[in-house]
Amino acid sequence: MAERPPRQADWLSVREALDRILAAASPLGAEMIPVADAAGRTLAEDVRSPVDHPPWDNSAMDGYAVRAADVRGASRSAPVVLEVIESVHAGAFPERSIGPGQAIRVMTGAPTPEGADSVVRIEDTEAQPGTPERIAILDDRDAGRNIRRRAEDLRAGAVVLKAGRVLRPGEIGVLAAVGRPEVAVARRPRIGILSTGDELAGPDAFEHVRAGRRIADSNSYALAAAVTTAGGVPVRLGIARDDEASLRAHIEAAAGLDVLITTAGVSVGEHDLVRDVLERLGLELDFWRVRMRPGSPFSFGRLGRTLVFGLPGNPVSALVTFEVLVRPALRRIAGRRDVHSRTIRVRVAEPIESKAGLVHFLRVRLEPDGAAGLAARLTGAQGSGIMSSMAAADALLVVPETVERLAEGEEAVAIPLLAADAGQEAFGLPG
Ligand code: AMP
Ligand code: MG
């Protein structure tokens, strides 16, 4: 008897699917690399500072280090005149401390002298003629201000960066500030990408596409790019034909990889050759079919120690399932602490209809909306084969399972499509 196709009610929700995937994904080991090469990698150690930064109290301004008690009450009509006993530039150290009625000229970053508790900005001062050198203070707004305290930024012995965060320019600056030449980062997952289908041609055989007999394999390129932005190393496994021998040979080439991503061969009604061959090779299927559109014919399992994601063949379904279900898993494998995608709140710029029972992910462009907000407008036809509306999208608008209609101006959640995937706050995904 033929297997009964699973009914939609038996499919997993997006959240259940993601939970099961994340439960199966675990971080890889670490490697040491030069800090200069570490942008975009995930930190795999807690980093402590061996030094205080700044190392001394220093001036936040070009001006005069003074005692607040001396300058309080100073104004243009009643200036306070102080004796200037020294001048210190950044890189030099003051030789004297200041006493009542005295000031030391300091540049931004220069250590402030003992006795000073304020730096009066240069604009609020006026040099006085004659010797000894004297300065008039014309305003008291800087009394008690403009001194950056030793260790106010980084304290010796304290953890300054925690494992699991993506190294962006700010984090790289901190690593350099604490003197690290090298840093432990999570190893990059190696991710096999396999296109399947008799109708496909690679770029080397584009003449068949031009002749109208084949379509170009775009999925493996789009997915390799997605893998790269997620911090993985794509391993191209080529195009398997829709026959057992070809599929078997291509899947076996994925042995030893951390992850295998296949596309196509999973449409309803079609003989599900990709999954059949994977199961014959030992795939432990975790689940297949998710209540989402596009992308419902998605499967997940494990082949030996390789996690296997079976993505649908339609180009938009492949990329949307990657964003929603694969990218968070790659973050976990790549050692990230925050694995969920950032979501943002938007207003929909036009009414939107959606079928209940499936989470819809709609391709939208983001536009400014009033002073602070963003409005989301559909990029065009939403068919799962329409690559141009995916390429034009800034974000995926999320329409939860229970919502059948969004009125113009209504609030919704969207997942930004980023050029690169670096340390984000996770606010959670509804529905
Ligand atoms: P399938 O899941 O095999 O039924 O494929 C669904 C749709 O996706 C079909 O129109 C395929 O031609 C298309 N498709 C499958 N694989 C690719 C690919 N690698 N690149 C572009 N389109 C594809
Ligand atoms: Mg096919």
Side-chain angles (χ1 to χ4, degrees):
M1 204 174 102
E3 195 185 329
R4 184 173 59 91
R7 290 176 307 118
Q8 199 163 307
D10 300 331
W11 303 356
L12 291 191
S13 71
V14 171
R15 187 177 290 279
E16 290 163 337
L18 192 51
D19 285 347
R20 281 164 76 154
I21 291 167
L22 290 174
S26 49
L28 302 172
E31 59 183 335
M32 292 298 287
I33 63 168
V35 166
D37 299 335
R41 302 294 296 269
T42 306
L43 190 60
E45 59 170 322
D46 287 346
V47 174
R48 284 178 194 277
S49 178
V51 293
D52 283 338
H53 181 81
W56 354 266
D57 294 351
N58 70 96
S59 177
M61 293 271 179
D62 289 336
Y64 289 86
V66 300
R67 294 153 40 104
D70 283 351
V71 301
R72 272 210 185 95
S75 67
R76 272 171 203 276
S77 53
V80 170
V81 176
L82 302 173
E83 184 192 350
V84 181
I85 59 171
E86 198 182 340
S87 180
V88 186
H89 59 85
F93 292 85
E95 280 166 11
R96 304 181 57 181
S97 54
I98 60 167
Q102 295 182 325
I104 286 182
R105 172 133 206 213
V106 288
M107 305 304 152
T108 303
T112 44
E114 252 170 69
D117 58 8
S118 320
V119 173
V120 176
R121 72 193 72 182
I122 200 100
E123 300 92 314
D124 289 350
T125 66
E126 193 171 70
Q128 303 296 292
T131 46
E133 191 184 345
R134 289 175 315 142
I135 189 76
I137 307 295
L138 309 175
D139 201 303
D140 71 353
R141 61 180 159 166
D142 287 338
R145 299 183 56 193
N146 298 334
I147 294 184
R148 304 189 288 212
R149 294 297 172 188
R150 172 177 183 160
E152 72 176 14
D153 185 2
L154 310 171
R155 187 168 290 283
V159 171
V160 293
L161 292 174
K162 281 209 156 116
R165 62 193 291 158
V166 170
L167 299 174
R168 299 168 300 165
E171 285 87 357
I172 298 285
V174 170
L175 288 170
V178 302
R180 294 297 299 263
E182 290 199 318
V183 66
V185 296
R187 192 164 70 70
R188 281 192 163 119
R190 298 181 67 233
I191 300 175
I193 296 167
L194 177 60
S195 288
T196 73
D198 286 341
E199 75 279 32
L200 302 178
D204 52 327
F206 197 75
E207 67 275 11
H208 299 302
V209 178
R210 221 183 298 262
R213 290 197 304 273
R214 291 270 188 275
I215 65 161
D217 162 28
S218 57
N219 285 352
S220 67
Y221 289 87
L223 288 168
V227 160
T228 302
T229 65
V233 179
V235 178
R236 313 183 55 84
L237 300 173
I239 301 170
R241 297 301 159 194
D242 287 322
D243 64 67
E244 169 145 9
S246 176
L247 280 166
R248 192 177 268 273
H250 282 85
I251 291 166
E252 280 169 348
L257 297 180
D258 301 302
V259 174
L260 169 63
I261 297 174
T262 68
T263 70
V266 291
S267 299
V268 193
E270 183 179 350
H271 181 48
D272 185 4
L273 213 48
V274 175
R275 218 179 69 210
D276 283 355
V277 173
L278 277 164
E279 284 186 330
R280 258 171 254 149
L281 288 170
L283 177 80
E284 295 164 51
L285 183 72
D286 188 330
F287 66 85
W288 98 287
R289 304 236 73 172
V290 181
R291 296 201 300 273
M292 64 187 287
R293 174 172 292 167
S296 71
F298 174 93
S299 67
F300 173 67
R302 185 189 282 280
L303 182 60
R305 51 170 289 280
T306 306
L307 298 185
V308 181
F309 296 90
L311 274 46
N314 276 308
V316 177
S317 310
L319 280 182
V320 168
T321 50
F322 182 93
E323 287 304 321
V324 175
L325 298 172
V326 183
R327 189 186 288 278
L330 297 190
R331 292 194 186 111
R332 170 144 303 158
I333 294 169
R336 288 271 292 274
R337 198 183 41 218
D338 300 324
V339 298
H340 291 291
S341 294
R342 186 209 314 239
T343 54
I344 56 173
R345 298 221 139 255
V346 297
R347 267 176 211 296
V348 295
E350 59 196 299
I352 283 170
E353 308 283 339
S354 167
K355 189 170 166 313
L358 299 170
V359 183
H360 282 63
F361 295 91
L362 303 175
R363 284 147 264 171
V364 293
R365 207 186 323 267
L366 301 175
E367 303 168 350
D369 175 50
L374 286 170
R377 188 180 295 284
L378 297 177
T379 54
Q382 297 287 314
S384 58
I386 310 288
M387 279 184 276
S388 50
S389 62
M390 186 72 193
D394 300 319
L396 297 173
L397 183 78
V398 186
V399 187
E401 280 188 24
T402 51
V403 175
E404 291 184 67
R405 181 160 203 289
L406 290 171
E408 181 184 333
E410 216 173 312
E411 264 205 19
V413 153
I415 306 170
L417 297 168
L418 303 169
D421 186 32
Q424 307 163 21
E425 287 297 308
F427 299 111
L429 184 67

